[in-house]
Amino acid sequence: MRSEQVAWADLPPMYAPQASERATSQGDAEFAARLDGLITAWESGHGRPLQYRSLVEALAHKGQVTSASYVSMLRRGHRRHPRPELVEALAEFFDADAHWLRTGIRRGERRTDVSAVATVSHYPLRRLLLAAIDLSSPSLSMLADLAERIRPGDADLPTLRHTARLTDVS
């Protein structure tokens, strides 16, 4: 029997990881939080802790060989960018949407930042902004640093009256 698909935003707040429990490294904290929420919801629904060994065995039956320590590192945010096939298998195990697990965006959901970017008339800037959507904070910082290094040597840049840093201030 398949249950309704779980989305992070639909989980009760008590299942959301506390700030101290979130990723402690520069790993993919957003993915880790979603995976942690799915595991916590599974444990709540089954009334027992999910043994990583059991999860690894279930993933192996789906053709995805991994280790319990790797799953633990994904959950804590110490590993980044799991294989798309592994994300698919995890989503299937938890009966969740793989696209949501990978990106944090539900299928068919239109992000407000995409709507805002669509209003930018300068095509190269709009293209850059669309490419930067959903990048992690460290990646956005690297992109902003790169742009700041390129800017002084680029004579073709249009004069902009207002500029903003692309880095995340949080």
Side-chain angles (χ1 to χ4, degrees), residues 40-96:
T40 303
W42 186 97
E43 292 173 339
S44 175
H46 288 81
R48 62 185 167 84
L50 174 62
Q51 301 294 319
Y52 288 141
R53 185 183 68 234
S54 301
L55 176 58
V56 167
E57 288 172 5
L59 294 173
H61 285 355
K62 298 179 187 315
Q64 293 305 309
V65 178
T66 190
S67 68
S69 63
Y70 183 71
V71 173
S72 175
M73 287 186 278
L74 284 174
R75 184 179 188 182
R76 292 178 298 157
H78 293 294
R79 289 287 185 224
R80 299 181 65 177
H81 311 297
R83 296 180 318 275
E85 300 83 15
L86 179 61
V87 174
E88 293 282 335
L90 284 166
E92 187 176 331
F93 177 84
F94 291 111
D95 197 26

Side-chain angles (χ1 to χ4, degrees), residues 31-145:
F31 177 85
R34 289 188 296 276
L35 181 59
D36 181 62
L38 290 174
I39 292 172
T40 303
W42 186 97
E43 292 173 339
S44 175
H46 288 81
R48 62 185 167 84
L50 174 62
Q51 301 294 319
Y52 288 141
R53 185 183 68 234
S54 301
L55 176 58
V56 167
E57 288 172 5
L59 294 173
H61 285 355
K62 298 179 187 315
Q64 293 305 309
V65 178
T66 190
S67 68
S69 63
Y70 183 71
V71 173
S72 175
M73 287 186 278
L74 284 174
R75 184 179 188 182
R76 292 178 298 157
H78 293 294
R79 289 287 185 224
R80 299 181 65 177
H81 311 297
R83 296 180 318 275
E85 300 83 15
L86 179 61
V87 174
E88 293 282 335
L90 284 166
E92 187 176 331
F93 177 84
F94 291 111
D95 197 26
D97 179 33
H99 179 73
W100 168 81
L101 181 56
R102 191 172 30 260
T103 65
I105 303 170
R106 295 182 193 163
R107 290 196 188 275
E109 179 180 280
R110 184 168 173 95
R111 300 265 314 249
T112 55
D113 46 2
V114 173
S115 299
V117 169
T119 65
V120 175
S121 61
H122 189 252
Y123 175 75
L125 180 58
R126 185 173 65 238
R127 188 170 157 226
L128 175 64
L129 291 172
L130 286 171
I133 289 175
D134 293 328
L135 287 178
S136 65
S137 290
S139 295
L140 282 173
S141 291
M142 290 187 324
L143 180 61
D145 290 343

